[in-house]
Amino acid sequence: RDVRWVNDPPGEGEELLAQIRSRFSAASVRIDSISVDRVIAKFESPQRAITPGQAAVFYRGDEVIGGGFICSVD
């Protein structure tokens, strides 16, 4: 599985925060598509140095709701 949810998974169109590096700040994303083990999320503003294999953590406010590994970047 590429993504795991520890709380209620988001719905399509939901806006969350996502953090891709421990030293980066979380940034706003919109969930474009979601399935049992994959999610397509698009950042509102460009992020630098996103690389497949890195972890991404998703937040609803200040609550961690899930995370996984990045498998592709568009």
Side-chain angles (χ1 to χ4, degrees):
R1 292 177 73 168
D2 293 315
V3 65
R4 294 186 186 263
W5 303 109
V6 295
N7 208 330
D8 294 329
E12 288 185 18
E14 187 171 348
E15 293 186 16
L16 301 171
L17 295 174
Q19 186 171 357
I20 56 166
R21 293 180 181 262
S22 62
R23 297 183 191 260
F24 283 18
S25 297
S28 295
V29 295
R30 186 184 74 242
I31 304 301
D32 281 354
S33 174
I34 186 166
S35 66
V36 173
D37 61 352
R38 296 197 185 257
V39 63
I40 297 174
K42 295 198 178 168
F43 284 95
E44 285 186 9
S45 59
Q47 303 294 301
R48 64 182 178 90
I50 298 176
T51 306
Q54 289 178 317
V57 179
F58 294 95
Y59 298 85
R60 189 177 281 129
D62 61 355
E63 178 184 14
V64 173
I65 63 165
F69 293 100
I70 298 168
C71 46
S72 65
V73 179
D74 287 340

